[in-house]
Amino acid sequence: MPPKKGINWRLWSKVLIGGTVLSVGGPAFTYWVTPTEDELRSRYNPDLRKRSLEQREERQQEFDDFVTRLKDYSRSDKPIWVVVKEEEERRKQALLEQGRTQQRDAEARREEMRREAGLDAK
């Protein structure tokens, strides 16, 4: 039986050092190269910067609302796309009902104005 080969320590040390450099250095390099939000805004022209700052809170609020809705949807036992579709249907129905109510109110106001003006209809 031939003698057993020893461990190639030089090769394994290169592999471990290279792996460590890649796994630690890659994300560190990405973090170092990626500009912050303020650095990006400083490169905008003044009009865009002003508009971006004005709409910042609105976008943050929209995102917070979106995350809150997702959390609510995830509490259900149903798949999230089914819950979202049901919620969209509920919103559509609510908007339709609101439109009908507004139409009825407008018609009632019109009738009242006609009566006050002496133009009784039928």
Side-chain angles (χ1 to χ4, degrees):
M1 181 180 261
K4 189 175 182 184
K5 276 189 165 183
I7 296 174
N8 190 350
W9 291 107
R10 189 171 179 198
L11 171 71
W12 283 105
S13 62
K14 287 180 186 178
V15 168
L16 291 174
I17 290 171
T20 304
V21 166
L22 287 176
S23 62
V24 173
F29 180 71
T30 303
Y31 182 76
W32 178 64
V33 171
T34 304
T36 64
E37 205 171 305
D38 294 330
E39 290 173 340
L40 284 175
R41 277 204 187 89
S42 68
R43 295 178 189 171
Y44 288 176
N45 69 27
D47 294 336
L48 281 177
R49 190 178 315 146
K50 181 181 175 186
R51 204 174 333 145
S52 174
L53 289 174
E54 288 172 353
Q55 296 174 351
R56 178 185 227 171
E57 289 195 22
E58 181 182 333
R59 283 193 318 270
Q60 287 176 343
Q61 184 62 38
E62 287 176 3
F63 180 75
D64 291 342
D65 294 341
F66 174 73
V67 170
T68 304
R69 281 195 317 265
L70 280 181
K71 286 179 183 177
D72 291 340
Y73 296 159
S74 66
R75 289 187 187 125
S76 173
D77 293 337
K78 300 175 187 175
I80 196 164
W81 56 87
V82 172
V83 178
V84 169
K85 192 170 187 173
E86 290 174 354
E87 182 66 26
E88 287 175 359
E89 288 297 322
R90 271 187 246 134
R91 284 189 183 157
K92 284 180 187 177
Q93 291 298 328
L95 284 174
L96 287 173
E97 186 59 38
Q98 182 181 7
R100 288 183 196 128
T101 304
Q102 288 176 352
Q103 192 174 10
R104 276 187 246 129
D105 292 345
E107 188 63 36
R109 274 187 259 123
R110 236 181 269 130
E111 279 297 319
E112 184 64 31
M113 288 171 33
R114 283 183 181 169
R115 277 191 221 118
E116 288 176 3
L119 300 172
D120 286 332
K122 299 177 188 174

